[in-house]
Amino acid sequence: MKPIIHTTLIEAIKLLIHSDSPRLDAEVLLSHVLGVTRSYLYAWSDKILTPSQNAQFQTLLTRRLQDEPIAYLTGHKEFWSLHLQVTEDTLIPRPDTELLVEQALARLPQDSQEQVIDLGTGSGAIALAIAQERPHCRILATDKSRMALKVAQANAKNLALSQVTFMVSNWWIALGEIKATLIVSNPPYIPKNDPHLIQGGVQYEPRIALIAGADGLVDIRQLIAGAISHLVMGGWLLLEHGYDQAKTVRELFIEYDYESVKTYHDLAGLPRITVGQKHCP
Ligand code: GLN
C-alpha cells in the first residue's frame, strides 16, 4: 500500500507514545520533510508520499524516538518570534531565556544607541532579539565556538539584523578595552555530574554550552568578576542561572560590589535570572 499523509501520521503518532506531544512531533516532522505548513497536512491528507519523502520522514522519526530534540531534526527553533537556525553546535534556545531579553529591554530605552554585549551567544538568540527590538543599539555577540558563531552570523543575515557584530572570544579574552552599558549572558551553568545532562534530549546539546565545573558556577563567577571592567558606571550585568543557584549568584554579585542586585522568575515560577548594576561613584 502506498503511504498517504493521513495514515503515515497515524502510524507515527502510535510510535511516538513516549513523547509529550506525539501528534505535534509527527506533524512538525512531516511538514518539514514535505516543505509545507501543518495545515497542508489536513487539506491534502490523502496525498501519496514519494518513496524519498517517506524514507526521509522515517529517518527523522527514528531519531525522534531516540529522544533527539525536534529543533535539531528540523534545524530551526522560534525564539522571541524570530525564526532561528540551530545546529548541534548551538544550544536550543529555551522560552525561559526570553526573560533575559525582557529584562535587557526594560533597561534600554526604545531609541537607545548604547553598546550591548551578549557573551556566549550560541545561535545568536539573545543578541538578535535585542537587535530586533532596539535597532539603534550596537550589539557585540561572542562565542568561543567558531561553529556556533557561524550559525549566529547566518541567523543575523537571514533576519537582516546587520547592527550585530560577532567575535570569537572565550568570555573576556578577546574583548580588549570595550565597555558596554549592558552585558547579558546565558552561560553554561549545569554541574558536571548532574543527571539532567543525560535526559530529555539534553544529551544531544553541546557539552561546552551546558557544563560549568563541579558546582555549575565556574563561568558565572568569571562573568561576574570580569564584567566590572567592561561595564560603564551604572551599567548592568544580566545572567541566566540554574533554578537552585539564585542565592549564590546574588552573593557573588554583592561580593563584587554590584548594586540593585535582583532575581527574576521564569514562566515556571523558578528563579532564573539575576541582575546587578555596576556602582556609580
Ligand atoms: N536551561 C538549560 C537546561 O535546562 C541550560 C542552559 C545553560 O546551561 N545555559 O538544559
Side-chain angles (χ1 to χ4, degrees), residues 91 94 186-190 196 202 209-210 240 272:
L91 206 68
R94 311 285 203 266
N186 173 17
Y189 54 70
I190 302 184
H196 180 75
V202 177
L210 292 166
E240 181 170 322
R272 182 59 66 190

Side-chain angles (χ1 to χ4, degrees), residues 91-92 94 96-97 185-190 196-197 199 202 205-212 216 240-243 272:
L91 206 68
I92 300 166
R94 311 285 203 266
D96 292 329
T97 302
S185 182
N186 173 17
Y189 54 70
I190 302 184
H196 180 75
L197 290 164
Q199 291 165 9
V202 177
E205 297 192 272
R207 311 272 92 182
I208 59 161
L210 292 166
I211 301 174
E240 181 170 322
H241 50 69
Y243 70 95
R272 182 59 66 190

Side-chain angles (χ1 to χ4, degrees), residues 70-190:
I70 289 280
Y72 288 150
L73 300 178
T74 62
H76 52 79
K77 176 80 185 174
E78 299 289 316
F79 178 83
W80 199 266
S81 81
L82 302 174
H83 184 77
L84 297 174
Q85 184 196 332
V86 294
T87 71
E88 268 125 68
D89 293 307
T90 70
L91 206 68
I92 300 166
R94 311 285 203 266
D96 292 329
T97 302
E98 293 185 346
L99 180 61
L100 215 43
V101 176
E102 276 168 30
Q103 289 304 324
L105 297 178
R107 289 166 176 78
L108 296 166
Q110 191 67 46
D111 56 356
S112 168
Q113 301 186 1
E114 304 294 340
Q115 176 72 56
V116 173
I117 304 176
D118 172 19
L119 294 168
T121 196
S123 64
I126 298 168
L128 296 171
I130 297 175
Q132 169 88 5
E133 304 294 335
R134 297 290 181 269
H136 305 294
C137 280
R138 286 165 291 141
I139 303 173
L140 173 65
T142 72
D143 207 289
K144 69 177 169 188
S145 156
R146 276 175 202 281
M147 299 302 283
L149 268 193
K150 275 195 179 163
V151 176
Q153 278 170 306
N155 282 326
K157 194 157 179 250
N158 291 339
L159 296 163
L161 292 167
S162 56
Q163 76 273 40
V164 185
T165 52
F166 296 90
M167 188 193 279
V168 178
S169 181
N170 187 357
W171 301 139
W172 311 107
I173 285 186
L175 289 192
E177 302 282 288
I178 188 168
K179 285 203 191 302
T181 306
L182 189 139
I183 299 176
V184 66
S185 182
N186 173 17
Y189 54 70
I190 302 184

Side-chain angles (χ1 to χ4, degrees), residues 206-222:
R207 311 272 92 182
I208 59 161
L210 292 166
I211 301 174
D215 63 357
L217 292 163
V218 168
D219 296 288
I220 286 182
R221 274 195 203 93
Q222 283 190 50

